[in-house]
Each structure stands twice: as C-alpha cells, then as structure tokens.
Amino acid sequence: MTMEKTAPLSTPPLRSTRYVESKRLKSLFGRDWKVAFPFVLPMVLIMVGLILWPFINAIYLSTTSLNFLTGETVNVGLRNYERLLTNSDFIFSMENTIRFTLWSLTMKIITGMTIALILNSRIPFRGVLTGIVLLPWIVPEIVTALAWKSIYDPIFGGLNPILVGAGIIDQPLGWLSDADLAMPSIIAVNVWKGIPFYVLLLLAGLKAIDREQLEAAEVDGANVVQRFRNVTLPGLRYVIVVVLLLSFISTFNQFGLIFLMTGGGPGGATRLYSILAYEKAIGSLQYGPGAAIAFSVAPLMAVLIWLLAKFMRHDDRQSATEKAPGIGDRILKLSGRAMGKVLDLLFLPFELIADGFEKLGRLVSRLVTGSADRSLLKSQGRERMSLTMRLLLMVPIMIFVLFPFYWVTVTSFKTTPQISERSSIFWPEPATLGQYTSLLQDTPFLVWFGNSVFVSTVSTIISVVLASLAAYALSRLRFRGAGMLTSFLLITYLLPGTLLFIPLYQTLTDLGIINTYTALILTYPTFLLPFATWVMMGYFRSIPVELEEAAMIDGASRLYAFWRITLPLAAPALLAVALFAFTNAWNEFLFAFVFITSESLRTLPIGLQSMVVGDILPWGQLMAASLLTAIPVAVLYIYAQKFLAEGLTVGGVKG
C-alpha cells in the first residue's frame, strides 16, 4: 500500500512590520493618537510657549535683580522675597488687597443672593428685571471705570448733588481723592460689576432645587429663614463654593478697574499688590522684585485653584465602591461642617426674628378672627405683602444698576459749557451731538476702534478654532495624556494674568514683537483658549456619540465625522464661546496697556485711558466714547442671547 504524499502545512503569513509598528504605537500613545495629537498640538504649543514657559521663567526672574550701575542682572536667590516681609509698601498693598477682596465678596454674595431669590420667585416683569441686572456684565471695564469716575467726581459728578439734596451729606465729598473714602468707593464699583456673575449662577442653582422640598418644609412648620437655611443653602452649596472661589481669584488679582479709577492712590490707599507689581516691574524696570511681588501670592492661588478643581470635578454620584476619600476630601468635609456651625450661629438671630413675626401673625389672626389659624390671612394678604416687599427691595437695586448707564448717556449729549457750569445736572439742555462729533474728528477714536475690531476678531477666530479641535480630542478621542492635559487646561483657565504679564513682557521684548499687533494676538489666546475649550468640551459630550459611529461605519473618517456631523451640531456652543472670547478680547486692558505704547496701535480701552491727561478729564468726550465702546458688545449679546444661553448652559453643566 503506497503512502500518499501530503503537502507540508502552510504557515500563516507573518504580520507586516507596518501593522506591528501601528499596534505598538496605539498601545503606547492611545487608540486615536493619530487624530488627537494634531488636534491638540496647537493648543499645547500656546499653553507651553506662552503660559508654562513664561511661568517658569517668571519664577527664575523673581530670584534676580538688576544692577543699575553695571546694567547686569544678577541672581540674588530668595532675597527679593525676604525683602518683601519687611517692605512697608508690599505689606500695605497686601492689606489693601485682602480688605478689597473680602468686602467685595461679602457684598456681592449678599446682594447677588438677594436678587437671585427675588428673581426666582413669582414677580412681574421677571425677564425684563433679569436682563437689566445682567447689564453690568457686558460693559467693558474701561467704560465701567470712566462712568463711575465721572459719577464720583466731586465737582462735575452726579453722586454729590443727590446726597446733598437728600440731606445725607452737607458738602461735596472727594470719593476717590479722600484716603478714607477711596477704598469703599472702588469696592462699590467692583460689586456693581460683579453682581451679574453671582446672580446668573445662583439663579441657575435655585432653579435646580426641588420646590417640593420647600413646600414640605413649610408644611412641617419651618419659617422662611429655616427653609432658606436648611433647604435652599444646602442645595446651593456647590454653586456657592464655586462662585466664591472663582470670584476670590479674580477679585484678589484685580488690576484694571482700580488702576483706571485711582491708579492705586490717593497715597497708596487703593494700591493692590497687582498694581505694586506693575509699578516695580514695568514702571521702575525692576523685573526681579516685580515678579517676586506677583509670585508672592502663588501659593495662595495654588491652594484656591486646587480647591476649585476639586469642586468643579466633583461628582455627587460617586459610588461607594470607589476609593476612599483622600486627605483633601476630608479637609473639605471638615471645613464644610465648621462652616455649617458658623452659619447656624449667624442665622440664629434671623430665625428668632422670623419666629417672632410668626407668633405676631398668629396673635393678630386670633384677635381678628378669634382663631390662631392663619389661613385666612395667608390667602388674602400674605402673598400680596410678600410681592410688595420684593418689589420694594428691587427698587434701590434697579437704581444702583441703571444709574451709571443713565449718567453716561445723559452726559454724552451735554455741551461742554453745561458740564463745566453744572447746569441741569441730570438732563442735557440742549441735547447735542457735539461731543460725538468732536470725539470722531479730534481724537484717533476710529483708529482705536479699528485696532480693537482687528485684534479681537483675529484672536477670537484663532481661539475658537483651536479650542474646537482640542475640545473634540479631549472629549471624544482616547489618547495618552488626555487627563493630564485636561487638568492643565483647568489650571491655565484659573491662572490670573497678573502672574504672567511680567514674564510675557520680557518674552515678547526678546522676540522683538513688543508694541505690535502680534503681541496681543499671540497673548490673548492665553486667557481665551482655556475657557473656550472647557465650554466646548462640555457641549461635545452632550452630542450623542452614536451619530459619529454610524457615519464611520458607513466609511466616513474621524475627521469627516467631526467636520460634517459634530461641528455643525455644536453651532450654539461655537457662537457662545466666540461671543465670550470676542467680548473678553474687546474689553481686555492689562496686556494691551503693558505691551502697546504706540498711539496708532492702541485698542479702545487704552485709547480711552490716554484721553485722561493729569487732572484734565473731557467728560463729554469720555462718556460719548464709553457709549460707543459698549454698543458693539451690547448689540452682539442681544442678537445672540438665545444661542448664548443654550451653548453655555449645556457646556457649563456637562463640562
């Protein structure tokens, strides 16, 4: 029997070198690295080149000092920081900063909470009142400063005549020239400017509270103070902490508003640490000591940013199976308990007063009806009385919010003799367009306007395009380093500009682009890009991923799915972040003030500031310029408010 020859078993073909290499790279960099890396690379270059490197360079710079005799910069170690401990100017500026911050936050949270509670209730014209309260938010910082500086003017302003006429003061006061009045005056302006931020976020938080809990507490006999303390406040704890931390960071590092109104005076009474850092670094060319002043608050900012990051990335739905809370979580929990005890003590007097009113109401009801049942009184009068009280509370708030707008508008239509002679202070007689004609013909206002349009538009386009690419990669694609990049993005979003303007000034000088459009177009994305990316990430996460997967199953590439499917669906968020980016660029003062010196390159905030020469203030032209500066942003907000609400609500919740 012959054996049949069998063919040798064929071995499977070896995997190609290209396939093996591709698999190895995917395991090393992540599944979607080929698409993700090009998407995030531009943002990474900006963050590293214009945020991380200047930040590191500033740390080194703070350890140096310029020898004015030899012109050499020498390393002095920590001596700049040691000198701050005994420097009276620095100590006084820190005291001013702390006082300014704490009083501003206290007034803003109380006023903002009061307004939010009223607007969250049943009240006529609620939509109109909400829109009015949010007006200060869209006003450029330079307009805010000039408007209130005009109102505070002891000779030509509008505040003194009102108070003298009401018998509150006997003679005009120098609100910004008196060392005792200057700080309270700028705190009031900061509160005016910051109220919309508090109202907007607190109102959103109040709408998320279940009304059934409040009704159940009322049925159980809790008075209005107890309901607020035990139901409303716990429901707002996350929003309140985030709002206060964000506001603390921005208020503590405030520069433009105070600098424009007082320049840190009189006699240093309003000089904050940020103004002192500017005076040292830019005014006196002592970059090392100036950087040391700016970085003296870096540890505090690091703690606040860490706390804020914990809250912004906190998830109440965290399962019990996840890892135990760390030391940071335990510290936050203990802090929350301590704050709860403090609030109990603070609200105790108000609870006693509310109980007293409840007992008084029952007594009145017993005398009138012969019964302690307050249902009759409640059905007939309580709601009407409550509505009346809320409306009466809104009257002074509306006057406080609207008066600067009225003052700017009225003053812009006055003649110069009418302003100087103080005749018909609160109404133009006759109304004239002379101030606008003089502004457009005798000043470079149109040049400044064009510069602002160009710089704001270009920087907005760059920021929104790069933010869209980076946000899509961080929210949709899987690649190594995404988590770290997201954390770094949050840190840069919260990093105050006062820590960066000194090293950025030196970097731009070394590159030879200081005092150019490029200086602003390159640096504006450092504060526009992180916010835009953060909002876009939230919006991209809200778009069903199945839409892209279906397209890719049909043969579409990831890039095609992004461009043709996801990006069009994200149009509301794109418009929202573009509007915010444009507004922030349009209003920006610090970088433009430090980096631009040529009159032909000035943006509107710097141009308007340059119109003030010493003690000579052309109030008519300044108010006309302020009104023209605020109009473009106001028009954009009115046009895009529907998309703005949709884009930011989804982005803010998901992000």
Side-chain angles (χ1 to χ4, degrees):
M1 187 173 177
T2 60
M3 300 285 296
E4 291 184 3
K5 289 186 177 181
T6 58
L9 294 174
S10 60
T11 60
L14 295 175
R15 293 179 177 178
S16 66
T17 305
R18 182 177 298 177
Y19 176 79
V20 173
E21 183 69 17
S22 175
K23 188 174 181 180
R24 187 177 71 84
L25 290 175
K26 283 185 178 181
S27 64
L28 182 62
F29 297 119
R31 185 190 66 189
D32 303 312
W33 73 274
K34 285 187 177 180
V35 179
F37 281 11
F39 272 37
V40 301
L41 182 60
M43 185 188 73
V44 170
L45 291 176
I46 289 177
M47 293 170 66
V48 171
L50 293 174
I51 298 177
L52 181 60
W53 168 245
F55 187 85
I56 296 173
N57 185 41
I59 296 176
Y60 167 76
L61 188 64
S62 68
T63 63
T64 65
S65 182
L66 176 65
N67 188 322
F68 286 97
L69 295 177
T70 63
E72 295 180 355
T73 300
V74 295
N75 192 294
V76 295
L78 299 177
R79 200 175 305 163
N80 287 331
Y81 293 96
E82 294 172 357
R83 290 170 178 166
L84 293 179
L85 299 176
T86 57
N87 186 286
S88 59
D89 288 339
F90 173 75
I91 295 173
F92 189 49
S93 70
M94 289 303 299
E95 291 175 353
N96 286 339
T97 304
I98 294 171
R99 186 163 65 252
F100 172 78
T101 302
L102 295 182
W103 276 108
S104 294
L105 262 63
T106 301
M107 298 303 297
K108 282 189 279 191
I109 189 64
I110 293 173
T111 309
M113 181 68 76
T114 301
I115 297 173
L117 288 170
I118 294 174
L119 294 178
N120 192 52
S121 64
R122 295 182 181 92
I123 187 172
F125 309 108
R126 182 167 56 182
V128 175
L129 293 175
T130 303
I132 292 173
V133 169
L134 298 181
L135 281 176
W137 191 20
I138 66 174
V139 177
E141 192 173 54
I142 180 66
V143 175
T144 300
L146 291 176
W148 280 97
K149 193 170 183 177
S150 175
I151 292 170
Y152 283 142
D153 191 287
I155 300 175
F156 308 110
L159 182 58
N160 278 327
I162 293 175
L163 298 181
V164 170
I168 298 175
I169 60 176
D170 298 327
Q171 58 184 4
L173 300 177
W175 298 98
L176 299 179
S177 58
D178 188 318
D180 295 327
L181 296 176
M183 181 62 77
S185 298
I186 63 171
I187 288 174
V189 179
N190 185 259
V191 171
W192 182 85
K193 183 70 173 172
I195 283 176
F197 175 75
Y198 279 73
V199 172
L200 191 65
L201 295 186
L202 291 174
L203 194 57
L206 287 170
K207 292 182 182 300
I209 295 176
D210 189 357
R211 285 191 175 273
E212 292 182 359
Q213 297 181 15
L214 292 168
E215 293 170 357
E218 186 176 9
V219 170
D220 291 340
N223 59 45
V224 63
V225 177
Q226 291 170 334
R227 294 197 299 271
F228 177 74
R229 170 67 187 93
N230 298 302
V231 180
T232 305
L233 269 186
L236 290 174
R237 65 186 185 278
Y238 171 82
V239 176
I240 290 174
V241 171
V242 170
V243 167
L244 286 176
L245 286 174
L246 280 171
S247 184
F248 188 97
I249 292 172
S250 63
T251 306
F252 195 89
N253 296 282
Q254 179 65 252
F255 175 83
L257 193 64
I258 294 89
F259 185 85
L260 288 166
M261 293 189 68
T262 66
T270 60
R271 182 190 288 123
L272 307 187
Y273 94 93
S274 56
I275 296 178
L276 182 64
Y278 166 80
E279 291 174 350
K280 280 285 184 184
I282 309 301
S284 302
L285 298 180
Q286 300 181 48
Y287 298 118
I293 293 172
F295 271 78
S296 64
V297 304
L300 174 62
M301 292 298 107
V303 172
L304 293 174
I305 290 173
W306 173 78
L307 285 172
L308 189 55
K310 293 285 289 185
F311 273 94
M312 291 182 74
R313 306 184 71 173
H314 176 69
D315 191 351
D316 287 327
R317 296 168 295 178
Q318 185 177 10
S319 65
T321 58
E322 294 186 23
K323 63 180 183 178
I327 185 172
D329 298 305
R330 290 195 291 270
I331 292 174
L332 292 177
K333 190 174 182 179
L334 290 174
S335 302
R337 289 178 179 175
M339 183 58 67
K341 298 296 183 183
V342 172
L343 288 175
D344 287 339
L345 291 175
L346 290 175
F347 276 93
L348 181 60
F350 297 101
E351 290 185 16
L352 295 175
I353 293 172
D355 285 337
F357 277 110
E358 291 284 337
K359 292 177 181 178
L360 180 62
R362 284 194 293 269
L363 178 60
V364 172
S365 180
R366 184 181 293 112
L367 294 174
V368 174
T369 65
S371 171
D373 184 12
R374 300 181 60 207
S375 58
L376 180 63
L377 180 62
K378 179 178 180 180
S379 61
Q380 291 182 348
R382 290 188 67 191
E383 184 60 34
R384 186 176 300 173
M385 183 181 298
S386 174
L387 177 60
T388 303
M389 292 296 295
R390 281 176 275 150
L391 290 174
L392 288 175
L393 276 174
M394 287 300 293
V395 170
I397 293 172
M398 289 294 101
I399 293 174
F400 178 59
V401 170
L402 287 175
F403 183 72
F405 295 98
Y406 173 79
W407 181 257
V408 168
T409 304
V410 167
T411 306
S412 69
F413 288 105
K414 292 180 181 179
T415 62
T416 300
Q418 183 183 352
I419 296 173
S420 59
E421 294 169 5
R422 292 178 289 171
S423 59
S424 183
I425 296 176
F426 300 107
W427 192 254
E429 291 183 356
T432 177
L433 295 175
Q435 303 293 352
Y436 293 91
T437 303
S438 175
L439 174 71
L440 298 178
Q441 293 179 352
D442 302 336
T443 70
F445 178 84
L446 293 178
V447 175
W448 302 334
F449 190 93
N451 292 339
S452 286
V453 170
F454 175 72
V455 171
S456 301
T457 302
V458 174
S459 58
T460 296
I461 292 173
I462 293 173
S463 299
V464 173
V465 170
L466 299 187
S468 301
L469 296 173
Y472 180 80
L474 291 172
S475 60
R476 279 285 199 263
L477 307 180
R478 297 174 62 182
F479 62 99
R480 188 176 297 277
M484 182 178 66
L485 191 57
T486 302
S487 299
F488 186 54
L489 183 72
L490 178 60
I491 293 172
T492 55
Y493 168 47
L494 301 172
L495 199 65
T498 49
L499 296 182
L500 294 176
F501 78 91
I502 297 174
L504 278 175
Y505 178 84
Q506 192 173 52
T507 300
L508 296 174
T509 302
D510 293 339
L511 292 175
I513 57 175
I514 200 73
N515 194 34
T516 64
Y517 289 131
T518 307
L520 300 182
I521 292 172
L522 278 180
T523 55
Y524 278 11
T526 61
F527 60 87
L528 301 179
L529 188 55
F531 172 80
T533 306
W534 193 259
V535 174
M536 291 300 300
M537 283 172 59
Y539 203 91
F540 282 141
R541 286 171 183 160
S542 71
I543 298 175
V545 69
E546 291 79 10
L547 297 175
E548 296 177 35
E549 293 174 347
M552 288 188 287
I553 290 174
D554 292 339
S557 65
R558 172 69 75 171
L559 185 61
Y560 182 90
F562 165 72
W563 182 255
R564 292 293 186 180
I565 298 175
T566 307
L567 203 58
L569 291 174
L574 285 171
L575 184 58
V577 297
L579 180 58
F580 263 79
F582 184 88
T583 302
N584 287 334
W586 183 268
N587 298 344
E588 201 281 326
F589 175 79
L590 178 59
F591 284 2
F593 180 67
V594 174
F595 302 155
I596 299 297
T597 56
S598 298
E599 183 178 283
S600 60
L601 299 177
R602 289 173 181 165
T603 56
L604 276 173
I606 312 307
L608 267 63
Q609 186 265 344
S610 68
M611 292 174 65
V612 179
V613 182
D615 294 331
I616 301 175
L617 295 98
W619 285 125
Q621 286 188 1
L622 286 172
M623 296 302 99
S626 298
L627 197 60
L628 293 178
T629 301
I631 285 175
V633 176
V635 170
L636 286 175
Y637 269 87
I638 293 171
Y639 172 76
Q641 59 181 336
K642 177 183 176 181
F643 301 100
L644 179 65
E646 181 181 352
L648 290 183
T649 300
V650 176
V653 172
K654 296 292 182 180

